[in-house]
Amino acid sequence: MLDCIIIGAGVVGCAVARELARYSSSVLVLERFNDVSCGASKANSGIVHAGFDAHPGTRKAFYNVRGAKMYPLLAKELDFPYRRNGAFVLNFSEEGNEKLKELYDQGVKNGVEGNVILSGDEVRKMEPYVSDKVVSALYVPASGIVSPYEATIAFAENAFDNGVKFEFNQTVKDVVKSADGTFTVRTDKGEFCAKTVVNCAGVHSDEINNYVSKTKEKIVARKGEYVLLDKAYGYLAGATLFQLPTAMGKGVLVSPTTHGNIIVGPTADDIDDKDYVDTTYAGLSKAFSQAALSVPSLPRRGIITQFSGNRAHNVTGDFVLGEREDCKGFFNALGVESPGLTSAPAIGQDLAKLVADRLGLKERKDFNGTRKGIKHFATMSDEERVEAIKQNPLYGKVVCRCEVVTEAEIIDAVTRSLGARDMDGIKRRTRAGMGRCQSGFCTPKVMEIVAKYTGVDMTQVTKKGAGSELLTGRKE
Ligand SMILES: Cc1cc2nc3c(=O)[nH]c(=O)nc-3n(C[C@H](O)[C@H](O)[C@H](O)COP(=O)(O)OP(=O)(O)OC[C@H]3O[C@@H](n4cnc5c(N)ncnc54)[C@H](O)[C@@H]3O)c2cc1C
């Protein structure tokens, strides 16, 4: 009998797992995909929102502001990319000035410090590629950017190194509470029993809740499509450039990523199939033309890839967090849409504490809250490169030329705690395949390494789990 089962290995599930690892407990994370961070946590804007946008008094506002403050230290402890780059909310009309002032006041109410309203000319002095049509803007210095999947991987690895177990390719199909108060979690592969359950299943969190609670929930998947620009155009924005928010969310942004690309998007469309993440010509065109209002010189030829992610939109509008009144021992992190990435560390703390209190768990003295990421050749100084190659000659073998990723890094990505099992896992951990050629050149070599170090035949290497094999067979 486990102390706790966490359903879902996105940023919220992994943050809860890491926080629970601070207590003497047996914890298992169940995830339906092949890896952590395969849902919304891998496909979002990567903004650590300062907290001016959420309505005062909501859980979104509370957790946003608290989570944002945790990121700088977490990024150091867990060694993932984060940068406080600031943000502007651009306004294009005289009428918009009032809305901008409302956002400013909302920020003050939420406890966000340092925001100022600037004129269009002041904005263009700081961000020269911003449109001449911008009349004014709210400047938000506390806004930041993070690599969302690397943060999630870091939480997960640290949880794992502190004893949390992970089971992948396990789709939860039912949760049943027994008369003795314990839970049986049924997956497509088997059954797991625990004293408590934490539901972090993203767009499917309503279904998990509805298995056990009489208080029914409804999550609508709200799709957001993006294009990503080559690093060569990274000069176009230093800060994150939002537009005034709409009823559907924060609107389309233009932002640098932590790795120097420019991200453009997202759209916001409610969809029926919660797992539908194909991009569309219409969606991408909409995102691009809307973003061009902020930065008119955005070049279409600079686009290197596109992707989309689905927000877990709770129809009541706020996060649902905590223990279910009618089902003691069952905890929700439900409807965690934006600013969920920002909020995740704080949500993780509170949910772990609730579980620990319910079970009377004791804090451990041997918890190690630090983790070292993969050493990236691309970001090393010349001296560091010489030293790295001396220590491990495979640092001298570049596999991905666009992103300058070496064989040593790819082997590390496979062999470390909760190592990558497929090509997308390698990509998210090392950036091999994330550059201009989008893995056109490095795929065969990366496949060879994955096959060798995971102990499978090349024909079994997948892009993202079963059904996405890259080769159809061997030519005899
Ligand atoms: C377009 C878009 C833009 C966003 N931009 C931002 C932003 O800039 N800043 C910000 O703070 N937030 C942003 N967000 C929100 C943020 O991405 C989410 O709040 C956060 O990633 C949610 O994390 P999660 O762990 O709850 O969900 P997910 O990452 O979706 O994880 C849920 C996990 O549960 C698993 N799962 C589901 N059902 C089952 C089952 N039955 N059995 C087993 N496993 C299951 C899934 O496979 C998945 O891995 C954005 C979201 C989107 C979609």
Side-chain angles (χ1 to χ4, degrees):
M1 175 71 58
L2 294 155
D3 286 319
C4 183
I5 289 176
I6 297 169
I7 303 172
V11 68
V12 176
C14 294
V16 174
R18 175 176 183 260
E19 287 299 325
L20 261 178
R22 291 181 190 275
Y23 301 89
S24 294
S25 56
S26 51
V27 180
L28 170 68
V29 181
L30 293 174
E31 167 56 48
R32 71 185 170 134
F33 287 120
N34 206 21
D35 198 352
V36 306
S37 200
C38 288
S41 301
K42 77 163 165 33
N44 56 62
S45 308
I47 311 299
V48 176
H49 294 289
F52 63 86
D53 187 59
H55 290 294
T58 58
R59 280 183 211 96
K60 282 184 178 174
F62 176 75
Y63 282 98
N64 182 344
V65 174
R66 223 179 95 195
K69 287 188 178 145
M70 293 169 73
Y71 264 93
L73 180 62
L74 277 170
K76 281 204 187 92
E77 284 178 346
L78 297 176
D79 199 12
F80 61 76
Y82 161 83
R83 186 155 61 84
R84 199 171 133 152
N85 66 325
F88 292 90
V89 183
L90 305 178
N91 163 41
F92 298 85
S93 70
E94 288 307 323
E95 305 84 73
N97 282 327
E98 207 172 305
K99 181 75 191 145
L100 220 51
K101 177 73 175 59
E102 277 171 29
L103 278 185
Y104 173 86
D105 291 341
Q106 200 160 271
V108 172
K109 279 195 193 135
N110 289 345
V112 184
E113 287 159 11
N115 293 357
V116 279
I117 293 180
L118 301 177
S119 70
D121 286 342
E122 286 172 316
V123 175
R124 280 180 290 274
K125 261 195 203 137
M126 295 168 77
E127 291 289 336
Y129 297 93
V130 159
S131 166
D132 287 346
K133 297 205 168 66
V134 168
V135 174
S136 57
L138 180 70
Y139 177 51
V140 186
S143 188
I145 48 179
V146 65
S147 168
Y149 38 87
E150 286 172 90
T152 308
I153 289 165
F155 284 127
E157 279 184 20
N158 191 234
F160 179 85
D161 287 342
N162 281 290
V164 173
K165 303 267 184 294
F166 285 73
E167 287 265 354
F168 295 106
N169 301 308
Q170 297 274 358
T171 303
V172 173
K173 297 283 188 191
D174 200 5
V175 182
V176 180
K177 188 168 183 183
S178 310
D180 65 359
T182 62
F183 293 88
T184 302
V185 178
R186 297 204 175 106
T187 73
D188 54 345
K189 307 260 165 41
E191 281 190 358
F192 303 86
C193 294
K195 294 175 199 159
T196 59
V197 171
V198 185
N199 169 21
C200 305
V203 285
H204 295 286
S205 52
D206 54 348
E207 296 148 43
I208 303 288
N209 172 81
N210 297 347
Y211 291 144
V212 283
S213 174
K214 287 196 188 78
T215 311
K216 302 299 175 196
E217 301 286 351
K218 182 162 170 56
I219 296 294
V220 174
R222 184 166 287 174
K223 185 171 160 187
E225 300 188 39
Y226 293 93
V227 295
L228 198 75
L229 267 60
D230 191 357
K231 287 176 178 175
Y233 302 97
Y235 62 86
L236 287 171
T240 300
L241 306 173
F242 295 104
Q243 299 172 0
L244 276 175
T246 68
M248 290 295 271
K250 297 180 186 69
V252 167
L253 58 75
V254 176
S255 179
T257 67
T258 50
H259 293 286
N261 298 87
I262 292 285
I263 188 170
V264 171
T267 50
D269 295 295
D270 291 349
I271 54 170
D272 293 332
D273 178 353
K274 291 173 170 179
D275 296 324
Y276 184 68
V277 285
D278 288 5
T279 51
T280 62
Y281 177 75
L284 299 175
S285 295
K286 193 157 93 185
F288 199 85
S289 41
Q290 187 70 26
L293 297 176
S294 303
V295 180
S297 56
L298 274 181
R300 272 183 199 265
R301 70 178 177 284
I303 297 173
I304 56 171
T305 190
Q306 66 274 340
F307 62 91
S308 80
N310 293 337
R311 305 166 181 88
H313 176 65
N314 175 15
V315 290
T316 64
D318 205 359
F319 300 159
V320 175
L321 303 171
E323 193 170 26
R324 269 278 112 126
E325 264 309 304
D326 69 348
C327 190
K328 294 290 177 204
F330 181 85
F331 299 82
N332 275 316
L334 184 145
V336 186
E337 60 181 336
S338 188
L341 171 65
T342 312
S343 308
I347 294 175
Q349 268 185 348
D350 284 6
L351 284 183
K353 174 88 173 58
L354 287 175
V355 172
D357 287 351
R358 156 99 10 242
L359 296 175
L361 301 175
K362 296 264 175 311
E363 281 200 45
R364 291 164 54 179
K365 292 205 169 56
D366 58 346
F367 173 78
N368 177 2
T370 58
R371 163 258 185 199
K372 269 275 146 238
I374 295 170
K375 274 200 299 180
H376 294 295
F377 192 74
T379 54
M380 290 179 194
S381 66
D382 283 350
E383 294 73 33
E384 287 168 337
R385 286 179 172 183
V386 170
E387 188 51 35
I389 294 169
K390 214 192 285 173
Q391 303 274 327
N392 178 357
L394 294 180
Y395 265 109
K397 285 194 173 181
V398 173
V399 175
C400 166
R401 283 182 265 168
C402 303
E403 293 292 311
V404 199
V405 183
T406 64
E407 189 163 342
E409 291 157 77
I410 297 167
I411 294 171
D412 189 356
V414 181
T415 54
R416 62 176 30 230
S417 304
L418 290 182
R421 288 288 164 272
D422 54 37
M423 301 296 279
D424 279 0
I426 295 289
K427 202 162 143 178
R428 288 193 285 271
R429 285 167 177 81
T430 67
R431 295 192 60 74
M434 288 238 184
R436 174 87 235 188
C437 91
Q438 286 291 300
S439 77
F441 284 98
C442 61
T443 294
K445 184 65 190 168
V446 176
M447 285 177 69
E448 261 177 44
I449 300 170
V450 172
K452 181 171 170 193
Y453 286 89
T454 58
V456 301
D457 188 77
M458 282 274 276
T459 54
Q460 291 167 277
V461 175
T462 65
K463 178 167 162 47
K464 48 177 183 177
S468 63
E469 288 73 15
L470 288 124
L471 301 178
T472 52
R474 279 182 184 277
K475 197 164 179 243
E476 297 308 329

